[in-house]
Amino acid sequence: MKSLSTYFSPEFGAAFAQAIPDLRAQIGVKPFNPHSATYGVGGNTFRAYTGWRKSPSFVYRQWAEGKCTQLDPQSLARKLKTSNGFQAWHEELAESLQSVWHKNQGRELSFAHQHKLIDLFVKWLSSHNFSSPSLSESFIAHANCALDSQTLSKLNECLSMALPLSRPSMGHVHCKGTYVFCQDHIHAFSSHFGGSRLLFDYFAWRGGG
């Protein structure tokens, strides 16, 4: 079987590698305020969250505000030093959001919708200055890429259109296996060219993608 790297687009690989300094410059720069209007998730994303008894944006932002007001940057930096530590924290966030969502909405989020919100929340955190360079580096090293039409389309381009999807979207992330498959492919491409999943996310949205 061919190595996955066989499908890496030299054009997009070079563009990603060249962009890495600018992408890294977007990490850890914004002043942190635990009270935000969006917590990294705008109205366009919430249009896909239909059929809920309460406003999805309200439930998400209420949950995110609670997490931010309790956030201890130094403690979090210690927790996220390793990939296993980050994964445990990521799972804690996902379970916490799901619990709040079920309590407010009467049923659970799908895996794709749940993890889209978690990964956008982590991305939003990564852009802020917590006076902890090690925390910023941990976000860069270990954070996942939020999966949506923008990032999945960019992944397909970076794989020389090897994925048999003309318009991939969050709706194609049917289960945890699909999510992990995509994250693994993003990691393979981004690490090959000196980056990470989080930097790939920023890259996919750079200048509208």
Side-chain angles (χ1 to χ4, degrees):
M1 187 173 68
K2 288 185 178 181
S3 168
L4 182 62
S5 62
T6 304
Y7 301 97
F8 293 167
S9 163
E11 176 188 355
F12 283 100
F16 178 61
Q18 184 177 12
I20 285 174
D22 290 338
L23 302 174
R24 290 182 64 92
Q26 298 179 56
I27 308 297
V29 293
K30 298 178 182 177
F32 178 67
N33 185 337
H35 307 290
S36 168
T38 67
Y39 295 99
V41 185
N44 286 340
T45 295
F46 281 117
R47 288 194 184 98
Y49 291 67
T50 59
W52 299 99
R53 66 189 187 190
K54 291 186 179 180
S55 165
S57 61
F58 173 79
V59 175
Y60 165 73
R61 289 163 189 165
Q62 188 178 51
W63 168 84
E65 183 174 36
K67 289 298 177 185
C68 287
T69 55
Q70 298 169 8
L71 192 149
D72 179 347
Q74 300 308 316
S75 175
L76 186 59
R78 290 191 294 271
K79 182 181 292 188
L80 304 191
K81 280 185 177 180
T82 66
S83 177
N84 287 341
F86 178 88
Q87 187 59 36
W89 176 67
H90 190 268
E91 291 176 2
E92 288 171 7
L93 290 178
E95 291 172 2
S96 171
L97 175 62
Q98 192 71 284
S99 176
V100 168
W101 203 273
H102 187 272
K103 180 179 179 180
N104 280 272
Q105 306 285 27
R107 57 189 173 93
E108 294 186 342
L109 282 162
S110 70
F111 187 92
H113 284 86
Q114 174 192 15
H115 285 76
K116 171 74 177 292
L117 293 178
I118 295 302
D119 291 332
L120 286 175
F121 177 65
V122 174
K123 182 182 180 183
W124 177 82
L125 286 176
S126 77
S127 70
H128 289 84
N129 182 358
F130 294 99
S131 299
S132 175
S134 66
L135 180 55
S136 293
E137 288 299 320
S138 292
F139 283 136
I140 293 172
H142 306 307
N144 290 335
C145 174
L147 301 181
D148 51 35
S149 59
Q150 189 85 2
T151 55
L152 291 172
S153 293
K154 184 61 68 178
L155 172 62
N156 208 5
E157 290 177 335
C158 291
L159 296 180
S160 303
M161 305 304 290
L163 301 178
L165 296 170
S166 59
R167 299 178 66 184
S169 69
M170 182 176 61
H172 290 107
V173 183
H174 300 294
C175 61
K176 181 178 181 179
T178 313
Y179 176 84
V180 172
F181 175 87
C182 293
Q183 297 294 345
D184 285 350
H185 280 58
I186 292 170
H187 171 73
F189 173 84
S190 59
S191 62
H192 183 84
F193 292 101
S196 68
R197 291 183 296 261
L198 179 65
L199 295 179
F200 183 90
D201 194 329
Y202 278 87
F203 175 70
W205 283 95
R206 185 182 61 156

